């Protein structure tokens, strides 16, 4: 009787989680369709979808061409890379936000807590002011490359400062992250003061956006984020146990130090990849985990994938607003996420009294 009850509860939970993920996936696909259709050149959603599907062999043999070459160019070369970049960045930042909030047991932790943003900003700013224009194999360009190097170097610097013996105390990690982040922020200010005519490019990159999105960036970023998701999801059960406290987690068989080190590196790498192609996008990694925790609960087996899908959807919609709210001017997407995220975060704080993880 007891076994039957457990099975029924499992099936109910499985059905509920499946419905949530299917619903979020449909909403994401719908948002992507709308985002590719809306713009200065208005293209119907069904036509935009046909153009996209026509790029996929062997589907191109079954879809008649009912659009102009200009419409195809706008969809394939401009809007689709931008939309896919927003999806990748939304997934990466949301997953990293969930992981860091659990690991630090701090509701204010976000993907930039270890100084990834300031490190990436320093690397990108340096590339711009020095006007580096190199590329490797025609795919890895100077600005995203330098941003990635800056972000990952910052994480290892913070890691080295915080580490004591074989352990990695959370409080030392947070304090080291704050100190190193402040240092690189100061260096960015120096670069901006010396930037001259490159100041606008540096400033716009720091605000975050997808105006420079390329297919080459997607080919590199997408596999990295997918692998990162698989690794983080493998720790979902450990995340649930770690929320009880590190000592209890150790007693229950979780290798806490190993989990911390692996999750820190993976989360920081996917954040670095996201920042390298978009600049600094605020509030996605902070707000989305809280929203999904309210909607689906604290179990990381559903929280991680649902946050990834929701983060991608919200960022696609924010970027669509940024592109179209003041035509022909395109606003930085980071401005939209901050303008929407900040009031919502205040609302959550006022309504719940205390934001929990």
């Amino acid at each position: 009787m007891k076994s039957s009850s457990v099975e029924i509860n499992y099936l109910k939970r499985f059905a509920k989680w499946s419905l949530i993920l299917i619903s979020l996936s449909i909403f994401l696909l719908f948002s992507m369709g709308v985002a590719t259709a809306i713009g200065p050149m208005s293209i119907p959603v069904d036509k935009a979808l046909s153009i996209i599907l026509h790029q996929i062999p062997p589907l191109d043999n079954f879809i008649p061409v009912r659009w102009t070459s200009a419409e195809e160019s706008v969809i394939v070369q401009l809007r689709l890379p931008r939309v896919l970049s927003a999806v990748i960045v939304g997934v990466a930042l949301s997953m990293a936000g969930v992981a860091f909030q659990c690991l630090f047991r701090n509701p204010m932790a976000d993907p930039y807590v270890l100084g990834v943003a300031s490190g990436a900003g320093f690397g990108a700013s340096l590339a711009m002011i020095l006007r580096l224009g190199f590329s490797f194999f025609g795919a890895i360009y100077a600005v995203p490359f330098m941003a990635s190097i800056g972000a990952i170097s910052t994480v290892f610097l913070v890691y080295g400062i915080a580490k004591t013996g074989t352990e990695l105390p959370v409080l030392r990690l947070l304090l080291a992250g704050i100190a190193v982040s402040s240092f690189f922020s100061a260096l960015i200010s120096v670069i901006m003061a010396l930037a001259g005519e490159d100041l606008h490019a540096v400033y716009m990159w720091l605000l975050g956006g997808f105006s420079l999105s390329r297919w080459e960036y997607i080919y590199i970023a997408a596999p990295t984020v997918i692998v990162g998701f698989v690794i983080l999801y493998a720790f979902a059960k450990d995340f649930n146990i770690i929320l009880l406290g590190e000592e209890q987690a150790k007693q229950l068989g979780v290798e806490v130090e190993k989990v911390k080190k692996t999750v820190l590196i993976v989360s920081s790498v996917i954040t670095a990849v996201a920042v390298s192609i978009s600049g600094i996008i605020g509030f996605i990694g902070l707000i989305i985990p809280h929203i999904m925790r309210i909607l689906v609960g604290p179990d990381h087996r559903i929280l991680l994938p649902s946050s990834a899908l929701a983060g991608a959807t919200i960022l696609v919609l924010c970027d669509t607003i940024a592109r179209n709210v003041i035509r022909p001017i395109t606003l930085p997407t980071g401005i939209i996420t901050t303008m929407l995220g900040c009031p919502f975060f205040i609302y959550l704080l006022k309504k719940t009294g205390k934001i929990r993880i």
Side-chain angles (χ1 to χ4, degrees):
M1 185 75 178
K2 191 173 182 180
S3 176
S4 176
S5 176
V6 170
E7 279 186 34
I8 291 171
N9 288 334
Y10 173 78
L11 290 173
K12 284 182 178 179
R13 184 174 59 192
F14 180 79
K16 179 184 176 183
W17 287 0
S18 298
L19 181 61
I20 290 169
L21 294 179
I22 291 170
S23 300
L24 287 171
S25 298
I26 292 171
F27 192 31
L28 173 59
L29 292 173
F30 173 76
S31 303
M32 292 172 67
V34 171
T36 53
I38 294 177
M41 178 187 286
S42 183
I43 301 172
V45 176
D46 59 333
K47 185 183 286 188
L49 182 60
S50 297
I51 294 172
I52 293 169
L53 294 177
H54 190 263
Q55 311 305 312
I56 306 172
L59 295 179
D60 56 337
N61 296 320
F62 302 97
I63 300 174
V65 177
R66 295 173 180 169
W67 53 83
T68 65
S69 58
E71 289 175 328
E72 182 172 3
S73 180
V74 165
I75 294 294
V76 177
Q77 300 302 324
L78 297 178
R79 294 183 190 169
L80 189 56
R82 184 165 184 143
V83 169
L84 291 176
S85 295
V87 170
I88 292 167
V89 172
V91 168
L93 295 181
S94 299
M95 287 194 307
V98 171
F100 281 137
Q101 286 175 13
C102 170
L103 211 58
F104 294 118
R105 282 175 287 158
N106 185 336
M108 292 303 295
D110 73 352
Y112 306 138
V113 70
L114 297 184
V116 172
S118 56
F122 173 70
S125 303
L126 202 58
M128 291 177 195
I129 193 174
L130 296 178
R131 300 190 180 182
L132 301 179
F134 61 82
S135 67
F136 298 116
F137 311 110
I140 304 175
Y141 292 83
V143 172
F145 176 75
M146 291 293 288
S148 297
I149 293 298
I152 294 171
S153 300
T154 302
V155 170
F156 280 105
L157 177 59
V158 170
Y159 181 92
I161 294 171
K163 187 178 178 183
T164 56
T166 58
E167 294 191 350
L168 195 62
V170 169
L171 182 58
R172 283 177 63 93
L173 201 61
L174 283 170
L175 293 175
I178 292 170
V180 172
S181 178
S182 299
F183 175 73
F184 279 111
S185 294
L187 291 180
I188 292 172
S189 298
V190 172
I191 289 176
M192 292 178 71
L194 301 173
E197 62 185 34
D198 296 315
L199 176 61
H200 179 72
V202 173
Y203 181 67
M204 293 300 289
W205 191 92
L206 292 172
L207 290 177
F210 301 97
S211 58
L212 300 178
S213 297
R214 299 170 180 260
W215 281 108
E216 294 89 344
Y217 296 174
I218 293 169
Y219 297 149
I220 295 171
T224 306
V225 173
I226 291 170
V227 171
F229 173 81
V230 172
I231 295 173
L232 289 180
Y233 192 78
F235 288 107
K237 289 184 180 180
D238 292 335
F239 287 156
N240 291 341
I241 298 172
I242 287 173
L243 285 178
L244 300 173
E246 287 191 16
E247 291 302 320
Q248 289 170 292
K250 288 177 183 176
Q251 291 171 7
L252 292 170
V254 177
E255 297 181 61
V256 176
E257 294 303 317
K258 179 183 176 182
V259 172
K260 278 197 289 189
K261 292 171 186 176
T262 305
V263 171
L264 282 172
I265 292 171
V266 172
S267 299
S268 298
V269 167
I270 62 174
T271 301
V273 168
V275 172
S276 72
I277 66 174
S278 69
I280 301 169
I281 304 287
F283 275 91
I284 292 293
L286 178 63
I287 291 295
I288 297 299
H290 288 302
I291 295 174
M292 298 316 298
R293 206 172 278 114
I294 292 170
L295 295 177
V296 305
D299 193 326
H300 287 78
R301 290 174 294 179
I302 181 64
L303 182 59
L304 269 168
S306 62
S307 294
L309 291 170
T313 303
I314 295 298
L315 194 50
V316 167
L317 293 175
C318 286
D319 185 57
T320 305
I321 294 171
R323 285 190 291 115
N324 295 284
V325 69
I326 311 178
R327 292 181 187 171
I329 298 172
T330 298
L331 293 175
T333 310
I335 290 177
I336 304 299
T337 60
T338 302
M339 287 178 66
L340 297 178
C342 186
F344 188 81
F345 190 76
I346 293 171
Y347 166 76
L348 282 180
L349 190 60
K350 293 291 286 184
K351 185 178 180 180
T352 61
K354 181 181 179 182
I355 295 177
R356 295 180 173 83
I357 58 172

